[in-house]
Amino acid sequence: MGFGIACTVIDIAFAKRWQMNEPVLSWLPVGMIILSTLILLISQSWRWSIVAFAIQYIAMFWMISWEWPLGLAAVKLVTGWMAGAVLGISQPGAALAETGFTRISGGGFKLITAALIWVLAFAVAPSLQDLFPAAHAYLLGAVILIGMGLLQLGMSHQPLRVVLGLFTTLSGFELLYAAVDRSVLVAGLISGVNLVLALVGAFLLVNPEPEETL
Amino acid sequence: MSTVVLWIFVPFGVSILLALFHRFTSFTRWAAAGVALALSVAAALVNFGGLILVGGRAYEISTSFSVLGRQLVLGSSDRFFLILVYGLGAFWFLGAPAAGTHRLFAPLGLSIISILVASLAVEPFLYAAPLVEIAVLVSIPMLVAVGKPAGQGVLRYLIFMTLGMPFMLLGGWALNAIELDPASESLLLEAMFLLGLGLAFWLAMFPFYTWVPLLTKESHPYIAGFLFSLLPTVVFFLMLNYLDTFAFLRNSATFFQGLRLAGTIMVATAGIWAAFQRDLTRLFGYIVIQETGYSLLAISLHSQTGLELFAAGLIPRLIALGLFALALSVMQRHNVSMNFEEEKLAFQQTPIATFASLVAIFSISGLPLLAGFPVRQPLLEELGADSVAAVTWALIGSAGLMYGGLRYMAALFRQAPKSIRSEEGFYQIGLLSAGIVILVIAGVFPSPIITIAMNILQAFANLF
């Protein structure tokens, strides 16, 4: 969190100094999003996936802070990390093992499809500037999150992957929505949705045996 | 005292208390049913915005409540919706002991109802999307069989319903933006595209309905039935709210053409798949899809008559879905196979449940003298006046579902039953028989139910 805040402060300072439209270091969070979503897609280890998930939310917080006050943007980071913590402590062990792919060919296939999403995102993001008043890097990050999340959802049958895919997709939409609306109520409700989604993910991972009914 | 506190916070609080005592399954079912019934009756009797006397003291019932700078409002125009939705809750919770549902069904069901009521009460109602999503998320634990991994149907339900939320939020933003810039053609198209996509996800419209038969097959039919009667009803109300509020949306021919196309495809494809279906639980899924399709077709008529037909179809549809879900649950409880090929002993073991399921199928497919017919016939007549192609496909869909019902009946009586030894309990027989009688009476004397259902339209003063 400290790293994210430091980067944001540097970012805002540089942007003000040189009066640029695009925040300085704006490509760094996009890079973080590309890397974290790729790890989420390919990784077979839930630990790496949770780490990537946390990094994804740092990048998202960084970008939202360009549009929202720092305090309100921090809500996204806190919510995301709490969701990651809930999912992290609910691991039964082999929650990410896919049955349909071998490790190398499956990874290669996923890498190629991810590359297609990146190309698509680079092609689509500029045209979104007509609809959403935000920086190019910001929209690029949002489109990559939505695309990679949908890719994850389309390729996975495991509850953890599905829940992480939903979080990734929702993060992208949250970025888009943050560019047009600053409502505290919506921010709170979406945070509530994220936390309940994390709890549902935890339930799907550990689904307890029945208790005796009275 | 506020209507919002009474019809949102009180049931939500009760649901939390019931969740704490979920091990006392029988108690939670009856308590949830009692609370839902009391709230439904209270909605019919209480004077919204007036005074009530409790213990000699007068309390004013205000109709709004402020949360984080926004308002939750439940006024007189919402009265019939409250009666309907809490009555629906009572109807499903009363049937839960006969259906043998999950222990979390009653507490979570009550909380889902209160959250969905909040989604219709929030102003501006564009903020309803996250509340509907929370209701969907709360429903997941009762859909997954205890101690078993989640199936594809549940995961797809989670995915598609969750994807609906951001589209509805962005669509709501676009609608607000149009109010500031009414001349913007691109914003109008964007708003319609986003809202259309959001509604398509939430109502399981074509092509996003593949999860419906999967969910009905792998989840408890009664719980699936509860969700499929409640969620589409609330989403349809939200859609009518959008149409009521935004003039450019209700005047848009493109929007209604889209609804008609989606409705026609849903009715036709669901009917065709139902005709070749061999599993009763999957047939239930196709029935749900077809019912949603018919509701879309009614709204797509873009007229007062269409809206009245939508409202008139609501109660028969909910009763038929409830009866079918209960019949399936009773059969499952008595280990009766849901597969047509293995149905030989179904009628001997559970005669009332199998008969009830047949009545529900034929009512939904629009057989004369059953509750679905008095609404289906004028709907097809109105649709035929507008579009011969749409009514032809709708008739093919209805015929497909009816054929599916006939195939099921043939499977039941492939061998003449030697002796009938009903394993159903008195409570199950009572509820199933009541459902059959209501569907027949509503088919022969449809006017009272249709007159009651018309009250729903009070909430939409600007429509048509």
Side-chain angles (χ1 to χ4, degrees):
Chain A
M1 186 171 174
F3 174 73
I5 293 172
C7 290
T8 307
V9 171
I10 293 167
D11 220 12
I12 292 166
F14 273 76
K16 279 185 180 167
R17 185 172 294 176
W18 285 296
Q19 296 292 307
M20 291 166 69
N21 289 330
E22 195 87 358
V24 179
L25 299 176
S26 62
W27 294 96
L28 196 55
V30 176
M32 287 164 73
I33 282 175
I34 290 175
L35 188 70
S36 60
T37 51
L38 187 64
I39 293 171
L40 282 173
L41 187 69
I42 291 176
S43 172
Q44 299 281 325
S45 156
W46 67 266
R47 289 181 183 84
W48 280 109
S49 291
I50 297 295
V51 170
F53 184 73
I55 292 170
Q56 181 182 299
Y57 269 88
I58 293 173
M60 188 192 163
F61 157 68
W62 189 344
M63 289 177 139
I64 285 190
S65 67
W66 301 340
E67 302 291 332
W68 282 10
L70 207 61
L72 196 56
V75 170
K76 301 282 182 193
L77 181 68
V78 174
T79 309
W81 281 11
M82 281 173 73
V86 169
L87 291 173
I89 57 173
S90 316
Q91 293 309 309
L96 282 174
E98 291 277 13
T99 50
F101 293 109
T102 60
R103 182 166 281 203
I104 295 172
S105 64
F109 175 70
K110 285 177 176 176
L111 191 63
I112 291 168
T113 48
L116 289 173
I117 295 286
W118 299 331
V119 171
L120 188 73
F122 274 92
V124 167
S127 61
L128 283 179
Q129 275 184 309
D130 297 338
L131 303 170
F132 298 96
H136 179 235
Y138 183 93
L139 294 174
L140 185 63
V143 176
I144 290 174
L145 280 169
I146 293 169
M148 293 295 279
L150 290 176
L151 189 64
Q152 173 95 307
L153 291 172
M155 285 185 163
S156 311
H157 299 290
Q158 302 292 338
L160 180 60
R161 283 192 188 277
V162 167
V163 171
L164 290 174
L166 280 175
F167 270 114
T168 306
T169 312
L170 285 181
S171 305
F173 278 112
E174 280 178 56
L175 276 176
L176 288 182
Y177 196 72
V180 294
D181 190 14
R182 287 187 181 186
S183 162
V184 179
L185 180 63
V186 174
L189 283 172
I190 292 177
S191 291
V193 166
N194 283 334
L195 290 175
V196 181
L197 179 60
L199 291 173
V200 166
F203 174 83
L204 292 176
L205 289 170
V206 298
N207 188 14
E209 291 293 329
E211 286 178 52
E212 190 185 340
T213 52
L214 298 172
Chain B
M1 190 77 80
S2 157
T3 51
V4 174
V5 173
L6 276 174
W7 278 280
I8 296 174
F9 295 128
V10 167
F12 189 72
V14 171
S15 73
I16 292 172
L17 279 176
L18 293 179
L20 293 175
F21 295 101
H22 66 84
R23 289 176 68 199
F24 301 92
T25 312
S26 188
F27 164 73
T28 57
R29 284 170 182 162
W30 290 111
V35 169
L37 194 62
L39 288 170
S40 182
V41 172
L45 300 177
V46 170
N47 182 15
F48 287 27
L51 295 171
I52 56 163
L53 284 167
V54 180
R57 302 181 79 179
Y59 295 93
E60 189 188 352
I61 305 282
S62 66
T63 53
S64 66
F65 191 89
S66 186
V67 182
L68 285 172
R70 306 288 168 184
Q71 295 282 314
L72 289 166
V73 181
L74 285 175
S76 299
S77 59
D78 301 308
R79 181 192 300 276
F80 190 78
F81 172 74
L82 291 173
I83 297 170
L84 178 78
V85 87
Y86 279 106
L88 194 68
F91 169 77
W92 285 93
F93 297 139
L94 283 172
T101 51
H102 196 292
R103 65 181 193 279
L104 287 172
F105 172 62
L108 294 186
L110 194 59
S111 71
I112 288 168
I113 293 174
S114 59
I115 294 168
L116 288 175
V117 170
S119 76
L120 278 161
V122 69
E123 283 190 0
F125 62 85
L126 306 172
Y127 296 129
L131 290 167
V132 173
E133 171 61 14
I134 289 173
V136 167
L137 292 172
V138 170
S139 72
I140 297 288
M142 59 185 195
L143 285 169
V144 183
V146 182
K148 290 184 180 170
Q152 280 304 297
V154 175
L155 290 178
R156 284 197 204 175
Y157 163 71
L158 174 65
I159 292 169
F160 282 103
M161 297 301 272
T162 302
L163 287 180
M165 179 191 74
F167 285 108
M168 294 302 284
L169 273 176
L170 286 170
W173 159 75
L175 284 175
N176 272 343
I178 292 169
E179 299 250 289
L180 303 173
D181 182 14
S184 173
E185 192 77 15
S186 65
L187 259 180
L188 182 64
L189 282 174
E190 190 190 338
M192 277 198 293
F193 171 74
L194 290 166
L195 278 179
L197 213 52
L199 288 169
F201 280 120
W202 275 0
L203 286 172
M205 281 190 211
F206 176 82
F208 305 118
Y209 65 47
T210 53
W211 56 270
V212 176
L214 281 175
L215 188 72
T216 50
K217 184 169 171 59
E218 65 193 41
S219 298
H220 194 291
Y222 200 73
I223 295 172
F226 169 75
L227 289 174
F228 285 130
S229 63
L230 193 66
L231 279 173
T233 305
V234 171
V235 175
F236 272 119
F237 270 73
L238 277 174
M239 186 165 87
L240 293 178
N241 253 333
Y242 277 100
L243 291 171
D244 191 53
T245 308
F246 298 103
F248 50 86
L249 200 59
R250 67 174 172 269
N251 294 329
S252 162
T254 316
F255 186 78
F256 288 93
Q257 281 165 4
L259 290 186
R260 176 164 303 176
L261 182 67
T264 308
I265 294 174
M266 287 172 76
V267 170
T269 53
I272 292 166
W273 302 151
F276 300 105
Q277 197 46 244
R278 292 178 176 182
D279 188 294
L280 209 51
T281 50
R282 287 181 66 87
L283 186 69
F284 183 35
Y286 291 118
I287 282 175
V288 169
I289 294 167
Q290 193 170 75
E291 277 297 300
T292 307
Y294 269 118
S295 298
L296 288 173
L297 284 178
I299 295 172
S300 80
L301 289 173
H302 200 183
S303 64
Q304 176 75 27
T305 314
L307 208 60
E308 285 172 2
L309 286 169
F310 163 75
L314 210 53
I315 294 177
R317 161 199 152 125
L318 295 175
I319 295 170
L321 284 181
L323 182 64
F324 196 25
L326 181 62
L328 290 178
S329 310
V330 170
M331 284 193 263
Q332 269 192 357
R333 274 192 96 177
H334 296 290
N335 298 320
V336 173
S337 170
M338 295 289 124
N339 197 310
F340 283 14
E341 269 94 41
E342 298 158 13
E343 291 269 3
K344 288 168 196 165
L345 293 174
F347 191 74
Q348 282 98 312
Q349 281 179 272
T350 52
I352 308 293
T354 45
F355 182 62
S357 62
L358 281 170
V359 171
I361 293 171
F362 289 129
S363 172
I364 289 167
S365 60
L367 192 77
L369 296 181
L370 290 176
F373 178 74
V375 183
R376 198 57 47 81
Q377 188 271 333
L379 173 58
L380 291 171
E381 199 178 311
E382 289 286 324
L383 194 62
D386 265 15
S387 163
V388 176
V391 80
T392 308
W393 282 109
L395 280 168
I396 290 171
S398 281
L401 180 57
M402 208 172 282
Y403 180 69
L406 289 170
R407 282 185 65 232
Y408 173 53
M409 195 156 74
L412 281 176
F413 300 109
R414 200 175 293 144
Q415 290 175 346
K418 288 171 188 166
S419 62
I420 295 175
R421 281 170 298 167
S422 173
E423 295 173 9
E424 295 145 319
F426 286 120
Y427 190 57
Q428 292 172 337
I429 292 172
L431 286 179
L432 290 167
S433 307
I436 294 167
V437 169
I438 291 171
L439 282 184
V440 173
I441 290 176
V444 180
F445 306 107
S447 298
I449 285 184
I450 291 175
T451 311
I452 293 168
M454 285 304 140
N455 290 312
I456 296 168
L457 302 179
Q458 286 172 2
F460 312 109
N462 300 324
L463 272 176
F464 311 120

